[in-house]
């Protein structure tokens, strides 16, 4: 369906109920998914916090290199920067590493991230574009300053409901995407008011909207 409707690429998380017992089983499963859209680049979505599958992404890439012809890289949502760095060196740097931990994007950039995919980019993209711009200019002080701002507002979201609070943040900037899906729950009016107050307190609505 993705291929037929014009998608640019596909990605897949590891199975999380019947988990693969080895990295080779994970590769075999991903190969089946990728084969369903043979004209599209395939990315393995590495997110151990959600799947419970912890095989190093570097091991996956090495094992998948000759098994998945359309393998393009990894969407890496994990805190293991050693694995991230090693993954970027597999096959001479052949694979694109997309970083997925918004709160430590700067660490990913320092280790060669070619792009980033994250939930808070939906409502604070200018902040992250400034981090990338400052890093590319060699202004690490500015990059660290904006990365700390990202950490601060993500901590606020975590206090007020995590992903559900993120959806509410979209509403607060004027892009109401509707209710969250079950099993998440829409935050209460009181929580929304507290979230707005805490985001205002740290200057989120000003610094998160200014482009580099």
């Amino acid at each position: 369906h993705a291929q037929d409707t014009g998608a640019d690429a596909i990605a897949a998380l590891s199975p999380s109920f019947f988990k693969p017992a080895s990295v080779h089983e994970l590769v075999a499963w991903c190969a089946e998914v990728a084969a369903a859209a043979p004209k599209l680049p395939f990315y393995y979505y590495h997110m151990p916090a959600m799947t419970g599958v912890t095989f190093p992404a570097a091991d996956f890439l090495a094992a998948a290199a000759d098994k998945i012809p359309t393998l393009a890289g990894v969407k890496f949502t994990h805190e293991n920067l050693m694995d991230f760095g090693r993954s970027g060196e597999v096959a001479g740097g052949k694979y694109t590493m997309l970083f997925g931990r918004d709160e430590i994007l700067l660490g990913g950039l320092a280790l060669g991230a070619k792009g980033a995919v994250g939930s808070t980019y939906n409502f604070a993209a200018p902040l992250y574009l400034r981090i990338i711009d400052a890093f590319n200019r060699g202004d690490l002080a500015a990059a660290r300053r904006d990365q700390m701002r990202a950490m601060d507002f993500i901590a606020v979201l975590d206090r007020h409901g995590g992903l559900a609070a993120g959806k509410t943040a979209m509403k607060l900037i004027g892009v109401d995407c509707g209710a969250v899906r079950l099993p998440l729950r829409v935050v209460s009016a009181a929580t929304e008011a507290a979230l707005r107050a805490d985001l205002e307190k740290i200057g989120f609505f000003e610094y998160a909207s200014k482009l580099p």
Side-chain angles (χ1 to χ4, degrees), residues 114-171:
K114 303 300 188 210
V117 182
S119 57
T120 65
Y121 302 161
N122 288 293
F123 49 88
L127 175 64
Y128 296 100
L129 291 173
R130 291 204 309 272
I131 294 170
I132 294 169
D133 180 66
F135 175 80
N136 289 337
R137 288 186 285 105
D139 188 349
L140 290 181
R144 290 188 192 108
R145 183 168 57 250
D146 275 331
Q147 184 67 79
M148 186 57 66
R149 286 170 168 161
M151 291 179 182
D152 287 343
F153 91 75
I154 290 171
V156 170
L157 296 179
D158 286 344
R159 288 201 305 272
H160 293 291
L163 286 175
K167 197 77 172 278
T168 302
M170 291 286 288
K171 176 182 174 183

Side-chain angles (χ1 to χ4, degrees), residues 12-184:
L13 289 158
S14 167
S16 57
F17 188 82
F18 293 114
K19 295 179 178 64
S22 69
V23 72
H24 299 289
E25 289 186 6
L26 174 60
V27 169
W29 184 86
C30 287
E32 287 286 326
V33 175
K39 296 179 182 179
L40 295 182
F42 173 82
Y43 289 85
Y44 169 51
Y45 189 165
H46 181 58
M47 195 174 188
M50 289 298 188
T51 65
V53 175
T54 60
F55 306 120
D59 292 354
F60 171 86
L61 288 171
D66 61 351
K67 301 290 194 305
I68 305 177
T70 55
L71 181 63
V74 175
K75 196 270 191 177
F76 190 97
T77 303
H78 193 27
E79 296 75 31
N80 189 336
L81 294 178
M82 176 179 169
D83 183 29
F84 182 79
R86 291 183 66 241
S87 297
E89 297 299 314
V90 172
K94 173 182 178 180
Y95 298 107
T96 299
M97 297 299 296
L98 303 174
F99 200 67
R101 274 282 183 245
D102 308 11
E103 58 270 39
I104 52 173
L105 170 61
L106 184 55
L109 294 173
L111 288 169
K114 303 300 188 210
V117 182
S119 57
T120 65
Y121 302 161
N122 288 293
F123 49 88
L127 175 64
Y128 296 100
L129 291 173
R130 291 204 309 272
I131 294 170
I132 294 169
D133 180 66
F135 175 80
N136 289 337
R137 288 186 285 105
D139 188 349
L140 290 181
R144 290 188 192 108
R145 183 168 57 250
D146 275 331
Q147 184 67 79
M148 186 57 66
R149 286 170 168 161
M151 291 179 182
D152 287 343
F153 91 75
I154 290 171
V156 170
L157 296 179
D158 286 344
R159 288 201 305 272
H160 293 291
L163 286 175
K167 197 77 172 278
T168 302
M170 291 286 288
K171 176 182 174 183
L172 294 177
I173 65 166
V175 185
D176 190 345
C177 294
V180 293
R181 290 173 293 175
L182 293 171
L184 298 178

